């Protein structure tokens, strides 16, 4: 047992090392660096830096080092829990991430919970009411949810709710609570704003799980043990949840391997469209400005 745990831990360390290398390579792929982008912004404002100032800034940011030394310097800090300082904001990366990580986890975990609860309930209903009107409706909505890109669905909901109901669904808080300290009112305001991003991010995953559970449960309902139990007089509700549902749910559990990554990646795009204060917009801004320590830390996490 200890050997197995040790082997798995070794695989984990190796995988994290490979991911860190991949993250650093992604950071360095765009031409130039943060200083190049910074100088271009200054030149657009009519300011010019001489060569000595550029070289001093390059040394200050550690951009004068070769890529291998930059990676080793970054990783030596990561091992100690120090992700470096944001080149653009001048603040520790850990502070920037800690400000947005709790809300990111809230959005992702509630979306995951919503996805499975709704999908399992609808999947069971669609299987036992096969070819009913509700089954056709759920199937149609499910296919739409799988086909429509999440950012487009977010835009449609934003326009629809604002046009017909005058409701603004951008962000996770109302303006009066955005910068306010946490309180009961701010928590309630967060719950009011959560449904739209949860529905948008979780729509594709919910539709996929419905199809998996519906097909699996239909296969179980046709098996001989179900027919035998029904002929013995077992009630439909007890028969359904005691045997076939328990078996049909097993394939659904394995879907978390693709549902969770799709929620995390889709949440980043939706967060940009809906202006959510999560890690997605922070990563996008860091990639645009080539703020490599912020981008690398988020990719690594």
């Amino acid at each position: 047992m200890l050997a197995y745990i040790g082997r798995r831990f070794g695989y984990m360390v190796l995988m994290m090392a490979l991911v860190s290398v991949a993250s650093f390579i992604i950071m360095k792929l765009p031409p130039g660096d943060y200083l190049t982008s910074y100088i271009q912004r200054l030149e657009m404002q009519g300011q010019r830096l001489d060569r000595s100032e550029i070289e001093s800034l390059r040394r200050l940011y550690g951009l004068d080092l070769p890529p291998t030394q930059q990676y080793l310097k970054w990783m030596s800090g990561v091992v100690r829990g120090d992700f470096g300082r944001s080149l653009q904001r001048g603040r520790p990366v850990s502070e920037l991430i800690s400000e947005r990580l709790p809300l990111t986890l809230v959005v992702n975990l509630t979306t995951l919970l919503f996805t499975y609860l709704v999908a399992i309930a609808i999947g069971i209903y669609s299987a036992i009411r096969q070819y009913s009107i509700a089954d056709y409706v759920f199937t149609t909505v499910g296919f739409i949810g799988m086909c429509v890109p999440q950012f487009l669905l977010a835009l449609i909901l934003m326009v629809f709710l604002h046009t017909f109901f005058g409701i603004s669904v951008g962000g996770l808080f109302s303006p009066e609570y955005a910068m306010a300290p946490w309180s009961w009112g701010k928590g309630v305001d967060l719950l009011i704003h959560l449904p739209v991003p949860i529905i948008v991010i979780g729509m594709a995953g919910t539709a996929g799980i419905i199809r998996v559970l519906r097909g699996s449960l239909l296969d179980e309902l046709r098996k001989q043990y179900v027919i035998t139990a029904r002929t013995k007089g077992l009630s439909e509700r007890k028969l359904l949840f005691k045997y076939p549902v328990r078996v049909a749910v097993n394939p659904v559990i394995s879907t978390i391997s693709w549902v969770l990554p799709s929620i995390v990646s889709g949440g980043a795009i939706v967060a940009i469209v809906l202006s959510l204060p999560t890690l997605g917009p922070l990563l996008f801004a860091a990639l645009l400005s080539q703020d490599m320590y912020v981008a690398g830390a988020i990719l690594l996490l």
Side-chain angles (χ1 to χ4, degrees):
M1 184 66 179
L2 291 178
Y4 174 78
I5 294 175
R7 189 165 59 251
R8 300 299 295 182
F9 183 78
Y11 291 154
M12 182 186 71
V13 173
L14 177 61
M15 181 59 68
M16 288 300 297
L18 293 175
V19 170
S20 69
V21 173
S23 300
F24 188 80
I25 292 174
I26 291 173
M27 291 189 299
K28 303 297 289 184
L29 277 178
D33 49 33
Y34 170 75
L35 189 57
T36 305
S37 303
Y38 178 66
I39 293 173
Q40 288 176 352
R41 289 197 299 269
L42 289 180
E43 290 178 348
M44 291 176 63
Q45 298 171 3
Q47 304 180 37
R48 288 191 173 275
L49 298 177
D50 56 38
R51 182 171 294 276
S52 61
E53 290 176 319
I54 294 175
E55 290 301 322
S56 63
L57 287 173
R58 191 171 294 278
R59 288 192 298 271
L60 175 65
Y61 294 139
L63 300 175
D64 59 327
L65 300 173
T68 53
Q69 293 187 25
Q70 291 183 31
Y71 169 76
L72 293 175
K73 179 182 177 182
W74 177 56
M75 281 307 299
S76 64
V78 170
V79 172
R80 301 191 306 269
D82 179 14
F83 292 100
R85 296 182 67 86
S86 169
L87 303 179
Q88 184 179 23
R89 293 173 170 81
R91 296 174 56 194
V93 175
S94 56
E95 286 186 7
L96 295 173
I97 292 177
S98 63
E99 289 175 356
R100 293 174 177 250
L101 186 59
L103 289 176
T104 304
L105 291 175
V106 168
V107 172
N108 289 340
L109 292 179
T110 52
T111 301
L112 187 66
L113 183 63
F114 163 85
T115 298
Y116 277 93
L117 289 179
V118 173
I120 290 174
I122 294 177
I124 293 173
Y125 185 86
S126 294
I128 62 177
R129 297 288 188 272
Q130 188 182 17
Y131 303 135
S132 64
I133 296 177
D135 182 29
Y136 284 122
V137 170
F138 289 137
T139 300
T140 303
V141 173
F143 281 130
I144 293 174
M146 295 177 70
C147 297
V148 177
Q150 292 174 328
F151 72 90
L152 180 59
L153 183 59
L155 291 172
I156 292 172
L157 280 177
M158 288 177 68
V159 173
F160 176 79
L161 292 175
H162 185 270
T163 302
F164 293 97
F165 299 99
I167 300 174
S168 176
V169 295
L172 288 176
F173 301 101
S174 301
E176 60 270 20
Y177 286 110
M179 303 303 294
W182 280 101
S183 62
W184 175 259
K186 186 170 184 176
V188 173
D189 189 62
L190 174 62
L191 293 177
I192 293 174
H193 284 78
L194 270 179
V196 171
I198 287 175
I199 292 172
V200 173
I201 299 170
M203 178 65 77
T206 302
I209 296 173
I210 289 173
R211 307 306 303 165
V212 171
L213 181 58
R214 181 181 182 275
S216 179
L217 186 54
L218 283 174
D219 288 340
E220 292 300 318
L221 290 174
R222 297 189 183 102
K223 290 185 177 179
Q224 188 62 45
Y225 76 89
V226 176
I227 299 173
T228 303
R230 187 177 287 120
T231 57
K232 289 184 177 181
L234 201 64
S235 66
E236 283 296 320
R237 181 180 294 274
K238 188 175 182 180
L239 167 65
L240 181 67
F241 288 98
K242 188 174 182 179
Y243 299 111
V245 168
R246 292 170 63 181
V247 177
V249 164
N250 288 331
V252 173
I253 296 173
S254 65
T255 59
I256 196 170
S257 61
W258 58 265
V259 171
L260 184 57
S262 68
I263 287 175
V264 174
S265 59
I269 301 173
V270 173
I272 296 170
V273 176
L274 295 178
S275 301
L276 305 182
T278 56
L279 289 177
L282 182 63
L283 173 61
F284 182 65
L287 291 173
L288 284 180
S289 63
Q290 294 182 279
D291 194 348
M292 63 181 190
Y293 294 124
V294 175
I298 297 175
L299 289 173
L300 184 61
L301 288 174

